[in-house]
Amino acid sequence: MNVAANIDHETLARTLPLDQFDPGNPKLFQDDVWMPYFARLRQEDPVHYCKESRFGPYWSVTKYKDIMTVETSHTTYSSESALGGISIVDRPVEFRRPSFISMDPPKHDEHRKVVQPIVAPGNLAKLEQIIRERTCSVLDSLPRNETFNWVDLVSIELTTRMLATLFDFPFEDRRKLTYWSDVATADVNAGGPINSEEKRTEVLQECLQYFTRLWEERANAAPGSDLVSMLAHGPATRNLSPKEFLGTLTLLIVGGNDTTRNSMSAGLWFLHQNPAEFAKLRENPALVDTMVPEIIRYHTPLSHMRRTAVQDAELNGKTIRKGDKVVMWYISGNRDADAIENPDTFIIDRKRPRQHLSFGFGLHRCVGNRLAELQLRILWEEILKRFERIEVMGPPQRIYSAFVHGISELPVRIPG
Amino acid sequence: MPKIKLIEHDGTEHEIDGEVGKSLMRNAVDNNVPGIDADCGGECACATCHVFVDDEWLPRTGAPSEEETRLLGFAATLQPNSRLSCQILLDETLNGLVVRLPEAQH
């Protein structure tokens, strides 16, 4: 699918033959024009086969219910790294970095259970105080009466501080985490500095070396409550190979960084576009609780997850063959009117706001989902206490990726 | 209509008239019992409708399936009497059922 500038996407999405649809084209997300294409697929060809693309042939699953079926059928649809893992991109074998998100049971379960305690209710309660203090200090230091990038000074800063705390990572080096996260997920065709898998690996080796030092320190000390120590002492993870260690690190860094960051940026944009909802929120700040999951649904920070069929299967009338690549478009399922009322409208007081696909479902459901919500809740509570107005000075700049639904810039100004 | 008692972590009790043929989760949610999130809507896919079944009722609620057991493994406070309430279908034999709710669903 060739997406040129100045194209009427509503018309193109309606008229383009379905066999020419390539919904994995990252440009659709960068230009924020993905919606009509997925609307057509949900309507006319909900389990769609793209024969030829940069990513090879792949199935697109676009309806909420079908995505749920794939999510909960892990014996048919595998996450296994050796089969291609969890993203539409097939990395060459030597560049794959396995971690529990790209493992099936039983190994997945053993690894995930090692890190799970970091987001247990008791630990979240402990983290709440730290998050609030940090959020207050970041918001209090924002410039006034001048335009700045919300993504950099708020979204990145807050999520990076959080990650540094979870890893007990040297605080002054925390922006390295953001950098490694961006490197790990960069699309090599995006036109940025990471334009080959070799370059990516080179940078991620620095990440591995840095964390290996931390690992050695923590492995030789008594078990602590940070993620590195948990991995170093965990029965299923203390003998991780360097590749698996790097895989697990990048999973936790990307998982804890990118997704929450983009929800922090997107939320402000949505409220700016929906002033009536913003007014409702000012009137009743308690709506933050339901607004947070609504932001996460409406933005969908990870556009998709991928599986590989390990046996033939029927899915909504289509026959999926063993070995086929199956992409679950969360970003589309979250706009499926058969599952969500008025799905294209941002409504901060929805009745069942947590019924969305952004965290995935089944055994790979986002391990940090409550922590992400906690961070977003605190951010909005503290924003409402402080700022009467945040002026959005222009539309967000989005990144070239079919996986991370990312915002790199959102210019804002806070009067006062 | 089987009578069901759900006891919140802080001791607050909720007695509901259960509807046969619906899951315990659906009955709790429809009666506005707090503490059952059921994010996935009853697909045995999120482990946020976790309950503890009083021991005397365990023989009648039956044992969890393999998939339910796997998901329960990711619940915050697993006990031998843990179940996902979306996987307990109400029938008349469960009249008087007592379940307790965990401190949090995650």
Side-chain angles (χ1 to χ4, degrees), chain B:
Chain B
M1 258 189 213
K3 293 227 184 277
I4 311 291
K5 189 190 280 188
L6 299 107
I7 306 171
E8 285 185 66
H9 192 70
D10 67 4
T12 312
E13 294 189 1
H14 302 266
E15 269 195 333
I16 61 173
D17 292 321
E19 201 176 317
V20 169
K22 271 190 185 176
S23 71
L24 175 59
M25 177 281 280
R26 184 52 59 199
N27 271 288
V29 169
D30 289 350
N31 283 282
N32 291 320
V33 176
I36 302 252
D37 295 347
D39 292 346
C40 77
E43 303 282 333
C44 192
C46 69
T48 63
C49 64
H50 181 196
V51 297
F52 305 119
V53 175
D54 265 18
D55 286 349
E56 56 181 305
W57 287 95
L58 281 174
R60 257 172 285 180
T61 55
S65 70
E66 197 185 320
E67 198 53 30
E68 186 185 336
T69 304
R70 173 163 290 129
L71 280 163
L72 278 167
F74 304 133
T77 43
L78 187 64
Q79 294 181 12
N81 60 342
S82 286
R83 286 296 308 271
L84 295 182
S85 56
C86 71
Q87 300 301 302
I88 298 175
L89 201 62
L90 286 199
D91 60 29
E92 290 298 346
T93 70
L94 292 177
N95 185 28
L97 175 67
V98 180
V99 302
R100 287 160 209 278
L101 305 184
E103 189 176 4
Q105 287 292 353
H106 51 92

Side-chain angles (χ1 to χ4, degrees), chain A residues 64 68 72 74 105-106 108-109 112-113 116 119-121 124 352 354-356 360-365 369-370, chain B residues 25-26 29 36-48 67 70-71 73-76 103-106:
Chain A
Y64 191 105
M68 193 65 108
T72 53
H74 57 85
H108 158 271
D109 303 15
R112 177 173 166 136
K113 278 176 193 163
Q116 182 123 343
V119 288
L124 288 189
R352 300 199 58 75
R354 300 190 93 253
Q355 282 188 12
H356 63 68
F361 276 112
L363 63 100
H364 290 286
R365 184 166 165 80
N369 71 84
R370 300 292 171 153
Chain B
M25 177 281 280
R26 184 52 59 199
V29 169
I36 302 252
D37 295 347
D39 292 346
C40 77
E43 303 282 333
C44 192
C46 69
T48 63
E67 198 53 30
R70 173 163 290 129
L71 280 163
F74 304 133
E103 189 176 4
Q105 287 292 353
H106 51 92

Side-chain angles (χ1 to χ4, degrees), chain A residues 120-346:
Chain A
N123 208 44
L124 288 189
K126 270 193 269 169
L127 288 172
E128 173 154 3
Q129 187 56 27
I130 303 172
I131 297 170
R132 195 173 296 278
E133 283 165 17
R134 297 246 173 98
T135 306
C136 292
S137 95
V138 164
L139 293 179
D140 286 336
S141 67
L142 291 176
R144 295 298 184 107
N145 296 313
E146 65 177 75
T147 302
F148 65 91
N149 182 7
W150 180 264
V151 176
D152 188 38
L153 295 194
V154 178
S155 313
I156 290 182
E157 190 51 33
L158 283 176
T159 44
T160 304
R161 287 182 184 205
M162 183 79 255
L163 264 189
T165 305
L166 296 180
F167 282 113
D168 194 10
F169 188 88
F171 210 60
E172 62 284 5
D173 280 345
R174 65 187 182 278
R175 285 271 172 153
K176 284 184 193 290
L177 295 167
T178 317
Y179 175 58
W180 293 329
S181 175
D182 290 345
V183 167
T185 57
D187 188 311
V188 292
N189 286 13
I194 303 301
N195 56 10
S196 70
E197 290 299 335
E198 286 78 6
K199 283 213 180 133
R200 192 197 315 274
T201 302
E202 210 179 288
V203 175
L204 291 182
Q205 280 308 311
E206 294 165 20
C207 169
L208 179 61
Q209 280 162 15
Y210 199 113
F211 271 102
T212 302
R213 279 205 309 277
L214 298 183
W215 171 287
E216 280 160 6
E217 275 169 37
R218 314 269 157 94
N220 293 322
S225 57
D226 66 276
L227 284 169
V228 180
S229 182
M230 287 161 93
L231 288 170
H233 293 276
T237 50
R238 65 177 155 231
N239 295 318
L240 284 183
S241 69
K243 233 179 183 173
E244 279 184 325
F245 183 41
L246 183 59
T248 307
L249 287 172
T250 46
L251 166 63
L252 296 169
I253 293 172
V254 173
N257 182 52
D258 243 325
T259 51
T260 317
R261 178 208 304 183
N262 291 316
S263 299
M264 286 179 170
S265 307
L268 183 56
W269 175 242
F270 297 153
L271 285 168
H272 170 73
Q273 286 181 305
N274 296 275
E277 294 302 292
F278 211 160
K280 216 153 76 178
L281 179 67
R282 295 256 182 224
E283 190 103 329
N284 181 9
L287 292 179
V288 166
D289 282 353
T290 46
M291 177 182 76
V292 163
E294 174 68 350
I295 291 172
I296 296 168
R297 175 191 76 88
Y298 200 64
H299 179 63
T300 315
L302 291 176
S303 305
H304 78 267
M305 284 283 168
R306 166 260 179 97
R307 301 287 183 259
T308 309
V310 289
Q311 58 190 51
D312 292 358
E314 291 291 312
L315 185 63
N316 199 352
K318 298 288 176 82
T319 304
I320 315 282
R321 299 280 175 206
K322 181 180 174 179
D324 285 356
K325 185 192 300 201
V326 179
V327 178
M328 301 176 283
W329 291 104
Y330 297 152
I331 200 165
S332 169
N334 277 341
R335 300 298 181 96
D336 181 353
D338 289 338
I340 293 158
E341 213 174 314
N342 290 326
D344 289 324
T345 313
F346 178 69

